Amino acid sequence: MIELYSPLDSLKSGRWFKLICGASFQHLPAIRSLALAYTLAGVDCVDVAADPAVIEAAKEGFAIARKIADAANQSNRPWLMVSLNDGEDPHFRKAEFDATQCPSDCPAPCEKVCPTDAIAFTEIASGVIDARCYGCGRCLSVCPENLIFARSWVSTPETVVPLILQPEIDALEIHTQAGNFRHFQRLWQAIAPKCDRLKLLAISCPDSPDLLDYLASLYELISPLPCPLVWQTDGRPMSGDLGKSTTYPAIALAQKVLNSGLPGYIQLAGGTNQHTVSVLKKKGLLGRVAGVAYGSYSRKQLTPLLDRLEAQSLADGNKPYLECYPDLLWQTVALARKSISQIKPSLSG
C-alpha cells in the first residue's frame, strides 16, 4: 500500500526523509529509477543536481510513479529540490585523470574504492565515467601516482532564475560555508525575487568555529521568507556508506545548530545511514530535528538491483526503464521503503 503523506507535515512532525541523488551525480537512468522507486516508497523530497537533463530524469520518474499510484487510487508527488552552490564545495566536483598516464602494473586502487563504479579500465572506456562520479574524492587520496585531480564548478546567478521558473521545481538548496557571505549574498540577490514560487529553501553548511554566527547572518539576509527554511547540517559529506561512525558528526552538528535556537527546521545530512535514527533516539533528538537526508547510503542500497536492470534491459534491447520490469520495480521499492521506514515507522511491514 502506498501511503498518502504531505512533505510539509513530515517536516512539522519530525518524519522528513529526503533522498540526495547528488549535486554532481548525472547518471540519468539511475536518477530516473531512484526517483520512481523512492516516490512509490513514500519519500518526501528528492534532491538533484542543477542540470536540466537530471531534472527531467527525476521528473520522468515522478510521472511514472504517479501513473502507478493513480492506478491504486494513491497519488502523491514528493518535492523536487535542486542543489546550488555559492563557491567551491566538495559536492560540486568530479574526479578526472588521463588513464594513458597510468603505469601498466598499477593495482588501480581508485577503481576499487569508487562507490559508484565511475572508474573503469576497459577497451571501450578508461578513466572516469563522468556521469557516475558524484565527487566523493575517495580516489584522490589512493592514487599511488597522484594522477587524479578534482574538477570543480560554481553556480552562477544566471543559472539560478531559469531553474526556479520551472513550475515543477519545489525547493532549492544552497551549499555554503562560513566565510562565504558575499558569495551567498550575490547568489541570493538572484533568487530572492522569485523565491515566492518555492515551497522550501534549504541551506547546507559544514561545521566550523564561526558556523552559528554565519548562519545567523544568513538568516538576517534572507528574512522574511515566504516558505519554510531548512538548515541542512552536513556532518561528514558523502560518507554514509562507509560505516556507523560517520553518522556521529552529522548528529553532533545538528545538535549544535538545534541548541542555538536559530529559526527554521533542522535536517541531518553527511554521513547518515542505517544507524542514524537509532542514535537520534538514544540522544532524545528524534522529533526535535525535522528529519534526515540520505545520499550515498540510500543510493547504494539500490545499486545491485539497478545494475541488474541495466544488464537485463541491455540483453533485451530495451531502455533501462524500471517500470518495464515489475519484479525488479517492486523489489527496488521494497528496499527503498525499508530505508524510509526508519524514520516513518508506518511504512514498515
Side-chain angles (χ1 to χ4, degrees):
M1 175 66 69
I2 302 167
E3 178 164 305
L4 295 172
Y5 62 93
S6 159
L8 185 56
D9 287 343
S10 295
L11 270 178
K12 291 177 178 178
S13 64
R15 301 294 179 181
W16 166 266
F17 185 108
K18 184 178 83 170
L19 172 69
I20 303 172
C21 281
S24 296
F25 188 56
Q26 294 161 307
H27 187 45
L28 302 183
I31 289 165
R32 185 185 188 277
S33 294
L34 287 165
L36 167 56
Y38 272 94
T39 297
L40 290 175
V43 75
D44 293 300
C45 181
V46 176
D47 181 0
V48 300
D51 178 303
V54 169
I55 293 168
E56 285 303 313
K59 286 162 61 175
E60 279 187 30
F62 287 173
I64 297 302
R66 180 175 289 275
K67 288 182 180 178
I68 295 170
D70 282 346
N73 295 317
Q74 304 283 340
S75 181
N76 279 293
R77 184 178 80 83
W79 287 347
L80 180 58
M81 175 181 284
V82 172
S83 277
L84 307 164
N85 59 330
D86 66 2
E88 291 287 334
D89 187 285
H91 296 87
F92 296 80
R93 67 180 184 182
K94 288 181 181 289
E96 190 171 316
F97 66 95
D98 182 356
T100 64
Q101 301 299 310
C102 298
S104 59
D105 60 347
C106 181
C110 58
E111 185 178 21
K112 297 179 178 67
V113 78
C114 180
T116 58
D117 298 324
I119 297 177
F121 295 93
T122 67
E123 293 181 2
I124 299 174
S126 290
V128 178
I129 303 170
D130 200 67
R132 288 181 176 270
C133 177
Y134 67 88
C136 70
R138 298 175 203 176
C139 60
L140 302 179
S141 60
V142 300
C143 176
E145 304 294 324
N146 293 317
L147 295 175
I148 307 176
F149 61 94
R151 183 183 80 251
S152 302
W153 66 94
V154 177
S155 300
T156 63
E158 292 76 19
T159 67
V160 172
V161 173
L163 287 170
I164 297 174
L165 289 175
Q166 293 191 44
E168 291 178 284
I169 302 299
D170 303 293
L172 285 185
E173 179 168 278
I174 303 174
H175 288 254
T176 187
Q177 56 187 314
N180 273 23
F181 183 81
R182 285 202 290 178
H183 296 296
F184 186 98
Q185 185 178 42
R186 177 171 174 260
L187 189 59
W188 182 248
Q189 286 172 348
I191 295 172
K194 304 294 183 182
C195 71
D196 60 340
R197 300 171 180 265
L198 299 176
K199 297 186 175 93
L200 182 73
L201 175 70
I203 297 176
S204 180
C205 201
D207 199 6
S208 77
D210 301 323
L211 175 66
L212 297 181
D213 288 341
Y214 180 63
L215 297 185
S217 69
L218 295 186
Y219 184 75
E220 184 176 353
L221 172 69
I222 64 178
S223 298
L225 275 177
C227 62
L229 171 66
V230 164
W231 301 109
Q232 177 168 287
T233 55
D234 198 5
R236 185 175 168 186
M238 298 175 286
S239 65
D241 58 316
L242 293 178
K244 182 176 182 178
S245 64
T246 65
T247 202
Y248 290 103
I251 292 175
L253 183 53
Q255 191 161 19
K256 175 179 177 177
V257 179
L258 185 67
N259 291 343
S260 75
L262 271 170
Y265 297 102
I266 296 171
Q267 169 232 283
L268 281 71
T272 52
N273 52 35
Q274 71 270 35
H275 306 288
T276 302
V277 171
S278 62
V279 177
L280 284 172
K281 287 179 179 177
K282 288 179 182 177
K283 292 182 174 292
L285 295 174
L286 189 63
R288 292 185 65 201
V289 298
V292 184
Y294 294 86
S296 54
Y297 162 72
S298 281
R299 297 196 304 271
K300 194 170 184 178
Q301 301 307 298
L302 272 58
T303 295
L305 290 173
L306 298 186
D307 287 346
R308 282 175 54 191
L309 169 66
E310 189 172 346
Q312 187 61 55
S313 62
L314 184 63
D316 295 342
N318 297 329
K319 292 184 176 180
Y321 288 170
L322 190 55
E323 69 272 17
C324 295
Y325 297 87
D327 288 346
L328 273 177
L329 168 64
W330 293 112
Q331 288 179 57
T332 306
V333 172
L335 271 181
R337 186 172 291 145
K338 182 178 179 182
S339 183
I340 295 174
S341 67
Q342 296 173 85
I343 201 163
K344 297 180 186 289
S346 61
L347 290 177
S348 62

